[in-house]
Amino acid sequence: QKEVEQNSGPLSVPEGAIASLNCTYSDRGSQSFFWYRQYSGKSPELIMSIYSNGDKEDGRFTAQLNKASQYVSLLIRDSQPSDSATYLCAVNFYGNNRLAFGKGNQVVVIP
Amino acid sequence: EAGVTQFPSHSVIEKGQTVTLRCDPISGHDNLYWYRRVMGKEIKFLLHFVKESKQDESGMPNNRFLAERTGGTYSTLKVQPAELEDSGVYFCASSQVMSGASTDTQYFGPGTRLTVL
């Protein structure tokens, strides 16, 4: 079982719509959860971090964490063409600082 | 404030050769990490420095990989001799030590794309 899993395949959404990304993780003891955005050829850029169950909102982004079900999601509201990128889910497991990543979801916002 | 920088951005070498990648973390960041992404796979952890000490090197694939961080500033990752399966993008990340925090935010560099022919 992979440590962090994201649904494969690109996600195409029309401009102004909501993009929804999901991520599941294997270690129930995981402490910290991150969403990174990566444009092609660029560095992964942190856009959201979440540590407690529930929702966390930052601008057009909302992260949702459910530790009982071991999933974390990211919603992008009012999607813009500039949101077109690969979104990486990363999890920090208890007891160490390393991040475990999912393979990423490519999001394409269609004008 | 300058971000994490990596050099070179691209490297193409032949199997059996040696390559050295460099990472300059954000100034003042004690934690430095190396990660790697091979084609079609997820980003994988390689190792973690706290200042000049190796905190965790559980992700290093084999003894052909040698990481150093002399003086606790920049770090190098040497691959010797390189094999075909070493091809991929090597990312460096850095973070501050936050007292009392269980984790801290890792800031990534742009990566070095290594191609072994």
Side-chain angles (χ1 to χ4, degrees):
Chain A
Q1 182 184 10
K2 288 187 179 294
E3 293 179 309
V4 180
E5 293 209 57
Q6 294 182 250
N7 295 331
S8 59
L11 175 65
S12 294
V13 295
E15 183 174 355
I18 295 175
S20 177
L21 305 172
N22 295 311
C23 170
T24 58
Y25 58 93
S26 61
D27 189 344
R28 192 170 286 277
S30 299
Q31 299 283 295
S32 308
F33 308 86
F34 306 90
W35 284 98
Y36 284 82
R37 177 178 63 197
Q38 187 179 22
Y39 295 112
S40 181
K42 303 295 184 182
S43 55
E45 173 195 8
L46 181 69
I47 55 171
M48 288 289 283
S49 58
I50 187 166
Y51 306 99
S52 305
N53 279 328
D55 294 359
K56 179 181 178 182
E57 185 175 316
D58 184 359
R60 295 185 295 108
F61 298 99
T62 298
Q64 299 172 318
L65 174 61
N66 185 323
K67 289 188 177 182
S69 301
Q70 295 175 237
Y71 84 79
V72 57
S73 63
L74 179 70
L75 298 177
I76 308 173
R77 292 184 302 282
D78 188 22
S79 296
Q80 301 297 307
S82 59
D83 295 327
S84 297
T86 296
Y87 290 80
L88 302 165
C89 174
V91 177
N92 175 259
F93 297 117
Y94 179 79
N96 62 68
N97 282 24
R98 72 175 180 88
L99 293 177
F101 284 87
K103 289 179 71 173
N105 282 121
Q106 184 182 6
V107 173
V108 178
V109 181
I110 303 168
Chain B
E1 179 181 304
V4 177
T5 58
Q6 294 186 243
F7 181 83
S9 57
H10 294 82
S11 180
V12 181
I13 61 172
E14 293 188 351
K15 176 182 173 181
Q17 290 186 319
T18 297
V19 63
T20 299
L21 314 180
R22 173 172 170 143
C23 167
D24 286 79
I26 293 171
S27 178
H29 281 194
D30 288 337
N31 292 296
L32 187 149
Y33 306 83
W34 284 98
Y35 292 85
R36 177 176 73 172
R37 184 169 196 165
V38 298
M39 187 176 294
K41 302 288 187 180
E42 62 273 19
I43 297 174
K44 286 280 197 182
F45 167 82
L46 295 178
L47 87 159
H48 169 208
F49 284 100
V50 177
K51 297 185 180 180
E52 66 274 11
S53 300
K54 292 177 185 175
Q55 182 78 11
D56 179 359
E57 51 184 330
S58 62
M60 294 288 264
N62 52 60
N63 60 10
R64 295 185 293 103
F65 290 74
L66 175 64
E68 294 181 323
R69 192 182 183 196
T70 306
T73 54
Y74 71 90
S75 174
T76 58
L77 179 64
K78 182 163 70 174
V79 185
Q80 178 183 30
E83 298 289 346
L84 299 179
E85 63 265 26
D86 300 332
S87 295
V89 181
Y90 289 76
F91 291 102
C92 177
S94 73
S95 68
Q96 284 182 312
V97 174
M98 293 176 65
S99 176
S102 61
T103 187
D104 47 9
T105 300
Q106 295 184 26
Y107 298 91
F108 280 76
T112 293
R113 181 174 296 276
L114 174 64
T115 302
V116 182
L117 302 176

